[in-house]
Amino acid sequence: MTRREALGLYPLRDLRRVADDGTWSATGPDPVFALGPAAAVAALSGTRIRLRCRPEAVQPVLAVEAAGEAEPRRYRLTPREDGTDDLIRLPPGTRALRLEATETGPRFRLDGLRVEPAGRMAAAVLSARTIIERLPPQERRPLRLLRRASGLVRSVPPQEIWRRLTRAAQTRRPPASYAAWIEAVEAKALPPAETLRAQVAALPERPLISLLMAAEGAEPAHLAEAVASLTAQIYPDWELCLVADPSAAPQAMPSGDGRVRLLSPPAGGTPLDAALAQARGAYLATMEPDARLAPHALLALVRRLTREPGLDGLYSDEDRIGPDGARCEPYFKPDWSPETLEGSFYLGGLAVYRTALVRAVGGFSAEGEDGRALDYDLALRVTERSDRIGHVAQVLCHRRGRDPEPEAAARALAGRARRTGGLDVVRVLGPGHFALRRPLATRPLVSIVIPTAGRDSIIGGRSVDLLAACLGSIRETSRYEAIEIVAVDNGDLRPQTREAVERFGARTITWDRPVFNVAAKMNLGARAATGAVLVFLNDDISVITPDWIEAMLPQLAIPGVGAVGPKLLFEDGSLQHAGVTFGEGLPDHVRRGFPGDDAGYHGSSLANRNYLAVTGACVMVRRADFEAVEGFDEGYAINYNDIDLCLRLGERGLRTVYCAEACLHHYESRNRVPTVDPAEQARFRRRWGTRLARDPYYPDSFGIRPPAFALDAERFPHAARRMIEAWR
């Protein structure tokens, strides 16, 4: 048996051959081929392979089983006109290859299979072809490709070029399943029950936790399951204040357990307020009558509260209970995110608050609202009093419940706005997601600083003067009137561009040094500008939403916010920027390339959200904050200056907000070759590497290549280590 022996397709299950020309039909829900013989598969273990086939009416997915990995690695093969052609690195210990026939028609064809080792040269050629195919058509022209290549060679070491090529061209893997996450992370990282009981005994304090539940209309079996999940808690110091009709609750009441207290529905007020009046715990949480808690849920919360006694609130991750009773639809949440909370009730199913604080803000004041809206309203009012809110990054609550009723949730947000600066409008964006806008108390002068090389680019199939087009878009589309525009040029603007500068009421200042330094150019423009608010804007931007400034300014006016960035779309309408996340210490744009109307992960693209950074292609800051951090760090001449600015604002306690309501086109740096200086990258890692080992707004189990809020099995060991540390 040799390494070069050809692999063949063998029907494994749910398949029937229709004809010898490669035509098949699926006989069940999970049609799968095996690749063999087994010895030939084993010979390819640890190598890079090139896999080709000709599919019709089917989407093939390669599943790779390897020793020591609980879940197969899956790769969705890339369709081309002449069939698939993919470059895949097989892990060491590869023991089986399967080809899953997904998205099949009644009949499909799958033939022409070829699997062979890919040497360095063949891999480089295929990688380059794949990258070129992913570029916009105008970027595939030989001259532009030559400029890209020469820029890389001048600025990036050969090994880094090779790493980027292979990473950019690799076949993308579908997300891992939630069941795989449960097995590989939760089950492996959770201590055994005897260890957890020992941790209860070792607690320096054991506060009483009051669970408040309004059970009117609850299905008896679900209510019994919810109560049973409490009596199964490893942490014993809790009480359940259950408001229910005595005739409806007996089967849910555990006999002889005094921790469960049945309360009659009140004649007036809300059932939850009646429960709150009877609560004796130092902390409380509401609980839905059709939810259940993980056995270790209260212990995980109490351990955190005893370590951080200053916390006034604490919430966990959650998932759903499907129709079959199985866990599904996980919600891995960000750490405390005030602006995210105004876009959705992300705190969700298990959130504990200090009881005295809940009573101080008036308890459950919105009589007549549904329970989830009451919870949302309470969270909004509590967090107006305190920002000492923690997050336990574990799935501790399993819910059947729905999202807050949209109109009731919108009323809760309107109340928040009136208490914190006034209400302009609240809009429902989608199920559970909202846009809250406060009125502008003042209309400050906004200075838009545009660094420019004064170049043309191909946009929409025609040559466009970038600066002239950008200025025209700002003046002709924007509604906000108090705008000053300062363009920072290189002293070589063409006459027609200068005429556009004058026509659109902008002014220029010249960067007269012979070196390219975009950070220094932006600092120069900021010094020349006079506005109290600065917007740094690339010259390859055009405005889509006329009220983009009016959408961003109220976010910047929120106390504690230091930088705001909009949604940016590529020329083809796909997402270019909806926030910046960090993986392996370096930044990347989340869900880049997804459709422009993509809602994102639990509304991550749809509603306003906190991130560590936004892109400098369009970022709004207050002048006072910008000057307090001494502007852009000019040591980052090309890359990372925008990210570094957001992070330094963060060091001063100022948050960054992605503003989903403001939307612009970004033609993605058409005026220069996008390269990363290795020296700048090394400098960035030295400065920020320790802090960026974990992104508080992007959970550990999600993939980072690319960052899309999708579960990635390669990240599971990292996530498991984090959870193990949390239980020590």
Side-chain angles (χ1 to χ4, degrees):
M1 194 69 64
T2 69
R3 185 186 190 103
R4 295 177 180 271
E5 182 171 352
L7 292 177
L9 277 179
Y10 302 89
L12 187 62
R13 61 175 174 265
D14 293 349
L15 286 165
R16 180 173 64 86
R17 187 188 294 275
V18 177
D20 291 337
D21 62 354
T23 302
W24 299 83
S25 68
T27 60
D30 191 21
V32 179
F33 296 92
L35 274 67
V41 170
L44 294 169
S45 176
T47 68
R48 185 185 294 108
I49 64 168
R50 183 178 185 181
L51 188 155
R52 287 171 278 184
C53 65
R54 291 192 301 270
E56 293 181 15
V58 63
Q59 172 61 68
V61 171
L62 179 71
V64 181
E65 297 181 9
E69 296 187 3
E71 180 80 0
R73 302 186 183 192
R74 288 183 167 82
Y75 302 86
R76 190 178 297 276
L77 302 188
T78 308
R80 294 183 167 90
E81 289 185 5
D82 56 348
T84 69
D85 194 351
D86 291 271
L87 193 66
I88 297 168
R89 167 76 74 175
L90 297 180
T94 295
R95 60 191 181 193
L97 300 177
R98 313 270 190 255
L99 211 56
E100 300 172 351
T102 66
E103 303 174 28
T104 63
R107 291 188 176 190
F108 66 91
R109 287 188 61 186
L110 187 61
D111 62 357
L113 178 75
R114 294 183 63 187
V115 181
E116 56 193 10
R120 181 174 287 263
M121 184 58 68
V125 171
L126 182 58
S127 297
R129 189 187 84 172
T130 303
I131 292 169
I132 290 170
E133 288 175 346
R134 291 176 180 173
L135 292 172
Q138 62 268 27
E139 292 295 301
R140 300 176 194 169
R141 298 176 181 178
L143 183 57
R144 289 187 179 275
L145 292 174
L146 182 61
R147 287 179 58 200
R148 283 177 177 265
S150 62
L152 279 171
V153 170
R154 287 196 307 269
S155 60
V156 178
Q159 282 190 325
E160 175 65 11
I161 292 175
W162 172 251
R163 188 186 70 84
R164 289 191 200 175
L165 282 172
T166 54
R167 175 174 290 185
Q170 66 186 356
T171 299
R172 290 169 184 164
R173 297 170 57 181
S177 69
Y178 183 41
W181 179 90
I182 292 173
E183 180 180 352
V185 179
E186 184 178 87
K188 287 188 176 180
L190 190 64
E194 57 270 21
T195 302
L196 296 176
R197 284 190 284 269
Q199 290 183 349
V200 172
L203 287 170
E205 295 181 40
R206 284 170 47 172
L208 180 66
I209 307 295
S210 296
L211 284 303
L212 315 183
M213 184 185 295
E216 183 180 0
E219 186 174 323
H222 292 166
L223 177 59
E225 188 178 278
V227 175
S229 78
L230 281 175
T231 59
Q233 288 296 301
I234 292 171
Y235 182 77
D237 299 306
W238 55 267
E239 65 171 1
L240 173 62
C241 299
L242 173 62
V243 181
D245 189 311
S247 64
Q251 73 177 86
M253 301 288 289
S255 60
D257 194 333
R259 295 174 298 180
V260 180
R261 301 162 60 202
L262 181 61
L263 308 174
S264 297
T270 69
L272 288 176
D273 263 327
L276 173 61
Q278 299 298 317
R280 299 173 297 194
Y283 298 91
L284 63 80
T286 63
M287 184 174 174
E288 295 170 280
D290 55 2
R292 66 175 186 247
L293 302 185
H296 54 284
L298 295 184
L299 176 58
L301 297 177
V302 170
R303 276 169 51 86
R304 179 71 176 274
L305 291 170
T306 56
R307 288 199 305 269
E308 298 181 49
L311 288 176
D312 288 321
L314 187 61
Y315 61 94
S316 76
D317 297 342
E318 63 185 69
D319 60 17
R320 296 274 183 168
I321 303 171
D324 60 354
R327 293 168 55 186
C328 60
E329 298 181 39
Y331 189 2
F332 299 101
K333 302 174 185 178
D335 286 357
W336 170 231
S337 307
E339 285 65 53
T340 306
L341 183 62
E342 292 189 349
S344 68
F345 182 32
Y346 86 93
L347 298 189
L350 182 58
V352 298
Y353 306 107
R354 198 179 295 274
T355 304
L357 181 56
V358 172
R359 288 177 170 146
V361 302
F364 301 91
S365 59
E367 184 173 354
E369 304 289 18
D370 78 315
R372 291 286 289 165
L374 286 172
D375 290 346
Y376 191 16
D377 178 68
L378 178 65
L380 292 168
R381 286 182 290 113
V382 165
T383 57
E384 289 162 28
R385 293 281 190 99
S386 174
D387 63 356
R388 296 186 297 274
I389 309 296
H391 170 217
V392 173
Q394 297 184 46
V395 178
L396 302 180
C397 181
H398 317 300
R399 300 180 51 235
R400 289 186 178 87
R402 50 185 169 73
D403 293 319
E405 195 276 323
E407 291 185 2
R411 286 193 290 272
L413 278 168
R416 159 84 148 213
R418 294 188 183 99
R419 294 187 297 269
T420 59
L423 173 66
D424 185 352
V425 66
V426 175
R427 292 190 301 114
V428 177
L429 302 174
H433 303 294
F434 310 93
L436 167 61
R437 190 178 297 186
R438 296 171 175 83
L440 294 172
T442 62
R443 298 182 74 84
L445 178 64
V446 175
S447 295
I448 301 177
V449 177
I450 306 175
T452 182
R455 299 285 188 262
D456 290 350
S457 185
I458 302 297
I459 298 174
R462 62 188 183 89
S463 181
V464 173
D465 184 322
L466 286 174
L467 180 59
C470 180
L471 296 175
S473 176
I474 294 169
R475 290 299 191 193
E476 294 167 359
T477 307
S478 304
R479 291 177 185 165
Y480 196 80
E481 295 179 352
I483 294 175
E484 169 191 60
I485 304 176
V486 178
V488 187
D489 62 42
N490 296 329
D492 57 356
L493 290 183
R494 296 164 296 178
Q496 65 268 30
T497 307
R498 289 202 171 277
E499 187 276 329
V501 170
E502 295 176 5
R503 182 169 75 254
F504 293 117
R507 57 192 177 91
T508 62
I509 185 169
T510 297
W511 168 256
D512 57 5
R513 299 182 191 176
V515 295
F516 180 83
N517 189 314
V518 69
K521 289 179 74 171
M522 291 189 290
N523 285 340
L524 177 63
R527 290 192 294 271
T530 60
V533 173
L534 302 172
V535 173
F536 296 95
L537 193 73
N538 280 20
D539 65 359
D540 54 352
I541 292 280
S542 67
V543 176
I544 297 174
T545 51
D547 61 345
W548 65 288
I549 292 178
E550 292 93 330
M552 295 170 71
L553 273 175
Q555 294 296 309
L556 191 67
I558 297 173
V561 171
V564 181
K567 177 185 291 185
L568 298 178
L569 303 181
F570 284 117
E571 183 179 351
D572 64 3
S574 60
L575 279 179
Q576 192 267 341
H577 172 264
V580 172
T581 62
F582 291 82
E584 298 177 348
L586 294 176
D588 201 353
H589 291 194
V590 69
R591 296 180 82 81
R592 180 187 180 107
F594 277 66
D597 59 357
D598 167 58
Y601 180 73
H602 289 273
S604 64
S605 305
L606 186 66
N608 296 346
R609 187 180 178 95
N610 294 105
Y611 285 101
L612 283 177
V614 291
T615 178
C618 180
V619 59
M620 176 183 284
V621 296
R622 282 181 292 269
R623 173 183 291 279
D625 294 330
F626 183 76
E627 292 177 347
V629 298
E630 299 180 347
F632 289 101
D633 184 338
E634 296 179 11
Y636 299 109
I638 303 174
N639 303 108
Y640 304 124
N641 44 66
D642 50 353
I643 308 302
D644 173 80
L645 175 70
C646 294
L647 295 175
R648 284 186 289 118
L649 289 169
E651 283 187 325
R652 296 176 61 84
L654 298 175
R655 301 182 298 276
T656 294
V657 178
Y658 155 67
C659 179
E661 284 192 287
C663 188
L664 303 94
H665 269 127
H666 182 207
Y667 300 107
E668 186 59 54
S669 302
R670 305 293 192 208
N671 54 331
R672 66 175 178 84
V673 177
T675 59
V676 177
D677 185 339
E680 288 185 340
Q681 188 175 96
R683 184 172 185 261
F684 184 84
R685 285 187 183 277
R686 287 194 301 271
R687 174 68 172 86
W688 296 109
T690 301
R691 179 180 175 186
L692 298 179
R694 175 179 178 269
D695 186 329
Y697 303 116
Y698 192 74
D700 292 328
S701 294
F702 289 139
I704 58 175
R705 296 189 298 268
F709 289 105
L711 289 174
D712 184 349
E714 289 185 5
R715 298 270 288 170
F716 286 177
H718 173 72
R721 286 193 297 271
R722 293 262 192 211
M723 193 178 296
I724 290 169
E725 288 295 324
W727 280 104
R728 284 180 177 165

